[in-house]
Amino acid sequence: MFVSYLILTLLHVQTAVLARPGGESIGCDDYLGSDKVVDKCGVCGGDNTGCQVVSGVFKHALTSLGYHRVVEIPQGATKINITEMYKSNNYLALRSRSGRSIINGNWAIDRPGKYEGGGTMFTYKRPNEISSTAGESFLAEGPTNEILDVYMIHQQPNPGVHYEYVIMGTNAISPQVPPHRRPGEPFNGQLVTEGRSAEEGEEKERNEEKEDLRGAAPEIFTSEAAQPFPVRHPDRFSSHHPDNLVPPAPQPPRRSRDHNWKQLGTTECSTTCGKGSQYPIFRCVHRSTHEEVPESYCDSSMKPTPEEEPCNIFPCPAFWDIGEWSECSKTCGLGMQHRQVLCRQVYANRSLTVQPYRCQHLEKPETTSTCQLKICSEWQIRTDWTSCSVPCGVGQRTRDVKCVSNIGDVVDDEECNMRLRPNDIENCDMGPCAKSWFLTEWSERCSAECGVGVRTRSVVCMTNHVSSLPLEGCGNNRPAEATPCDNGPCTGKVEWFAGSWSQCSIECGSGTQQREVICVRKNADTFEVLDPYECSFLERPPSQQSCHLKPCGAKWFNTEWSMCSKSCQGGFRVREVRCLSDDMTLSNLCDPQLKPEEKESCNPQDCVPEVDENCKDRYYNCNVVVQARLCVYNYYKTACCASCTRVANRQPGFLGSR
């Protein structure tokens, strides 16, 4: 049998060498010039009637989450294609009828790759490009050796699943190209060469056996003579002649040359396991002595092209493929982390996911583990509540709350559980208050660069917290919001004149406002509008600018000063100052360094009694009247007028009438 294999291999290569120079194609029946091809059923020269293509689209509207059966793939199916119509959050799953999960079973989503199941190899694809709209797919050549079920893990509306596979029909003949037969393997258990007697075959086998015993590889002749009979490749076509091909007439071999190409071994296998590749090595040798000679002795156009041959086809040992640990489930304290552990096996330079039992010779790594990034921190209240921010009305009070680590250090609030954070600010109600006008300081700049202009300030009526002021409402006496200012007379000269800015486009924050800009000649009391050309030598003021009426934060407001506590010899007066936000509510966002004074001294001059010729003491002992507090009586107030008046100036409210 081995000698027969060598004969067929020799004839195969020789036919290929002879076919190349002519440029004619070889059909699936291995005849030169044949146009036969394998049909979809796998039949050489077939008409696609030997099998049946089953296809359809699963479009059912699904309501519940979970696994839903899409289609059944029967035993013996080939050319299997299961594809989502477009990308979705659903997943395809594959399971055997016996209940064994092949892809995406038990709510575990597998990586894209190759998976064995049903006697064939399935390629699982899941496009991950952001711009891609292609859905998931299962592809397999088949044939399957058992019934398989395709499922969808439903999570969103079904986009549709297209399925297609091929099954052999009842009147179909078996494919003439067995899908798993290796090159040189007998077809239907025998090798057949046509147009040659049994005796000639046996003689050839004996000659080849002698050559094999001498350790030499089969020769490949470069003779241009045709073969005496058509050569058949055992793995390509059947043992009968095609009807439309007549074997060429036998011709005697021509040996016009003394050298020919010969295979002398193979290259080293590319891998030690898992199906590698190697190539035959062809050398130019003497026909009789088989001695290697320079390649120039042989016809280079007849040198066979080395074809890849499989080697070390036994699979590599399976191994556990360990994924990366996930993040810890908790940022502090005891948590959990997970990783994916798959049994994989390398074959044909591809790492395939296989059933876990193939890794049973190895201890399976853990898939879950406890983790603790650090010990959790806790909240601590460092101070008691402060006093209320206002003496009356509704204010706020605060306390210091910090996040403290297990070693006592103050850390960022994010280190503690924000949901458990104690309040560090709360409202407080100190009772009702009176009302008063609150004003800002006058603006520093006058609205006019020369001549008469105005300065402005903000005025608002607010609740007054200074209880000594006897005010119950703001009333109609609203303080002025503008005051005149004068930067001196305008001299007669040509210059740009800018009008008033329009209102700001927004109420707070950064906006824009416009104004008119004209060229004028100013005089003492009038001005003359000129052509803009007259002012071209001057820098034109902007006609648009950004504006900021008030920050979208807060600023200081204050009341007017109270009356001085004394008319002479130094007293004091007070006003209330508040930080208000844009909506005129209390705020703590004002700059403390810009806070106006709330108290100041007043009337520091000495008290000078007024001399009244009609107000004199008529008695020498008026001091006794004062000590006895008799000045409240009109008689003593007149008799001791000077003494009683001095006491009244020092003690307001001392005198009265009875």
Side-chain angles (χ1 to χ4, degrees):
M1 182 62 70
F2 177 74
V3 175
S4 299
Y5 170 73
L6 291 179
I7 295 173
L8 265 297
T9 302
L10 177 62
L11 295 176
H12 181 191
V13 175
Q14 197 167 5
T15 301
V17 171
L18 291 174
R20 286 192 188 93
E24 296 186 67
S25 62
I26 299 178
C28 62
D29 54 4
D30 266 10
Y31 278 95
L32 187 63
S34 171
D35 59 355
K36 288 189 177 182
V37 295
V38 178
D39 70 355
K40 66 182 180 183
C41 302
V43 179
C44 180
D47 57 359
N48 298 324
T49 60
C51 61
Q52 179 184 359
V53 178
V54 179
S55 64
V57 178
F58 177 78
K59 289 187 176 180
H60 294 288
L62 307 176
T63 56
S64 59
L65 299 178
Y67 287 83
H68 295 266
R69 195 162 80 104
V70 175
V71 67
E72 172 190 293
I73 301 176
Q75 182 177 350
T78 61
K79 308 294 183 183
I80 302 167
N81 185 342
I82 311 295
T83 304
E84 273 189 305
M85 303 295 285
Y86 55 85
K87 185 189 294 185
S88 71
N89 289 332
N90 302 325
Y91 294 93
L92 297 177
L94 188 64
R95 189 177 70 173
S96 68
R97 185 55 61 89
S98 61
R100 183 176 70 87
S101 177
I102 300 172
I103 302 175
N104 294 345
N106 301 319
W107 292 101
I109 304 304
D110 295 314
R111 299 176 183 175
K114 294 186 178 294
Y115 296 86
E116 289 182 316
T120 186
M121 185 71 71
F122 280 87
T123 300
Y124 175 33
K125 295 182 179 181
R126 184 192 307 137
N128 57 2
E129 296 85 356
I130 297 178
S131 59
S132 174
T133 59
E136 293 193 345
S137 65
F138 294 156
L139 304 175
E141 282 297 319
T144 56
N145 60 7
E146 61 176 322
I147 299 175
L148 303 176
D149 289 315
V150 177
Y151 287 83
M152 171 186 286
I153 305 178
H154 175 245
Q155 299 186 94
Q156 71 173 59
N158 173 24
V161 178
H162 176 266
Y163 58 87
E164 181 176 305
Y165 56 85
V166 175
I167 56 175
M168 301 304 296
T170 55
N171 60 341
I173 60 173
S174 299
Q176 293 176 328
V177 182
H180 300 295
R181 184 157 52 84
R182 298 176 55 191
E185 188 174 300
F187 183 79
N188 293 333
Q190 61 182 353
L191 290 174
V192 180
T193 57
E194 302 177 19
R196 172 177 288 202
S197 63
E199 291 79 10
E200 289 175 326
E202 290 175 1
E203 179 65 22
K204 181 63 177 178
E205 286 186 351
R206 285 194 296 271
N207 293 336
E208 292 294 330
E209 187 173 3
K210 292 177 183 179
E211 183 69 16
D212 183 71
L213 293 175
R214 289 197 297 268
E219 296 180 354
I220 302 174
F221 296 100
T222 59
S223 171
E224 298 178 358
Q227 293 286 348
F229 49 83
V231 178
R232 171 190 173 274
H233 292 193
D235 58 337
R236 296 291 298 273
F237 56 90
S238 59
S239 59
H240 64 276
H241 285 294
D243 296 335
N244 61 345
L245 184 63
V246 178
Q251 297 181 13
R254 293 172 55 189
R255 300 182 180 271
S256 59
R257 299 190 181 183
D258 296 329
H259 303 89
N260 61 284
W261 296 104
K262 183 175 182 179
Q263 180 179 342
L264 297 179
T266 59
T267 60
E268 185 178 353
C269 192
S270 60
T271 59
T272 58
C273 63
K275 189 181 181 182
S277 61
Q278 62 184 17
Y279 295 87
I281 299 174
F282 297 103
R283 294 286 185 263
C284 183
V285 299
H286 192 277
R287 184 182 302 279
S288 302
T289 63
H290 302 287
E291 206 177 306
E292 187 174 349
V293 297
E295 292 192 355
S296 59
Y297 283 42
C298 292
D299 187 352
S300 60
S301 65
M302 292 298 180
K303 183 177 181 179
T305 302
E307 295 184 0
E308 180 180 332
E309 299 176 357
C311 55
N312 294 339
I313 61 175
F314 52 89
C316 295
F319 63 94
W320 291 112
D321 182 18
I322 303 173
E324 296 292 332
W325 284 111
S326 65
E327 293 184 2
C328 195
S329 59
K330 295 185 178 179
T331 56
C332 67
L334 196 63
M336 294 292 294
Q337 57 184 170
H338 307 271
R339 65 181 177 183
Q340 190 175 44
V341 177
L342 300 174
C343 182
R344 299 182 72 84
Q345 202 166 15
V346 175
Y347 187 77
N349 293 326
R350 293 192 299 270
S351 180
L352 310 176
T353 301
V354 296
Q355 294 300 319
Y357 74 84
R358 298 200 176 186
C359 292
Q360 61 186 359
H361 61 288
L362 300 173
E363 182 179 357
K364 184 176 182 179
E366 295 294 332
T367 58
T368 59
S369 174
T370 58
C371 55
Q372 182 170 349
L373 299 179
K374 58 186 175 182
I375 300 176
C376 292
S377 304
E378 62 179 1
W379 295 107
Q380 284 189 5
I381 300 175
R382 293 296 186 91
T383 62
D384 294 330
W385 289 108
T386 61
S387 58
C388 196
S389 60
V390 294
C392 64
V394 177
Q396 291 181 326
R397 61 178 186 171
T398 60
R399 62 182 177 182
D400 194 18
V401 177
K402 298 294 184 184
C403 178
V404 180
S405 68
N406 61 309
I407 59 175
D409 294 335
V410 176
V411 295
D412 293 338
D413 287 358
E414 288 76 11
E415 300 291 330
C416 292
N417 189 341
M418 296 300 293
R419 290 179 296 181
L420 302 179
R421 189 182 194 278
N423 289 333
D424 60 353
I425 184 170
E426 69 177 12
N427 292 337
C428 49
D429 191 348
M430 303 299 290
C433 298
K435 292 184 177 180
S436 184
W437 292 110
F438 282 74
L439 324 124
T440 61
E441 297 292 341
W442 289 108
S443 60
E444 295 182 0
R445 297 182 59 181
C446 189
S447 62
E449 295 182 358
C450 63
V452 178
V454 294
R455 291 193 299 161
T456 59
R457 64 180 176 181
S458 297
V459 179
V460 63
C461 180
M462 294 290 294
T463 302
N464 181 10
H465 291 168
V466 181
S467 57
S468 62
L469 297 178
L471 300 176
E472 296 182 356
C474 294
N476 297 324
N477 255 350
R478 181 186 180 92
E481 295 181 88
T483 184
C485 56
D486 193 342
N487 285 336
C490 298
T491 59
K493 60 178 181 179
V494 175
E495 62 180 333
W496 290 108
F497 177 78
S500 299
W501 289 107
S502 65
Q503 288 188 350
C504 195
S505 59
I506 58 175
E507 295 183 357
C508 74
S510 297
T512 58
Q513 55 185 170
Q514 287 77 31
R515 65 178 178 182
E516 291 290 336
V517 178
I518 58 176
C519 180
V520 300
R521 178 182 289 112
K522 285 191 176 182
N523 300 315
D525 299 324
T526 62
F527 62 87
E528 178 186 358
V529 178
L530 304 177
D531 190 276
Y533 173 77
E534 300 291 337
C535 296
S536 60
F537 65 95
L538 299 172
E539 182 180 359
R540 181 187 177 99
S543 58
Q544 178 175 318
Q545 69 173 7
S546 59
C547 55
H548 195 83
L549 293 180
K550 54 186 176 182
C552 293
K555 63 180 179 179
W556 294 108
F557 284 77
N558 57 267
T559 64
E560 294 183 324
W561 290 108
S562 67
M563 294 291 295
C564 191
S565 61
K566 289 185 178 181
S567 61
C568 59
Q569 289 186 339
F572 67 90
R573 59 182 183 175
V574 295
R575 63 180 177 181
E576 189 174 356
V577 179
R578 292 189 196 173
C579 177
L580 301 179
S581 61
D582 292 333
D583 57 357
M584 297 303 164
T585 58
L586 289 175
S587 174
N588 58 358
L589 300 178
C590 295
D591 188 349
Q593 295 182 351
L594 301 179
K595 183 178 181 180
E597 295 294 332
E598 297 181 275
K599 182 177 181 180
E600 69 176 8
S601 58
C602 54
N603 296 340
Q605 72 276 6
D606 294 332
C607 295
V608 179
E610 296 180 2
V611 178
D612 188 356
E613 294 297 333
N614 297 322
C615 183
K616 297 181 179 179
D617 288 343
R618 299 178 183 177
Y619 302 96
Y620 67 92
N621 60 346
C622 281
N623 60 329
V624 176
V625 173
V626 173
Q627 293 175 358
R629 297 182 179 273
L630 298 176
C631 288
V632 297
Y633 296 100
N634 290 332
Y635 171 78
Y636 292 104
K637 187 187 302 184
T638 303
C640 298
C641 181
S643 296
C644 288
T645 300
R646 282 196 300 270
V647 173
N649 290 334
R650 290 196 303 269
Q651 300 178 7
F654 177 80
L655 296 177
S657 61
R658 291 205 176 180

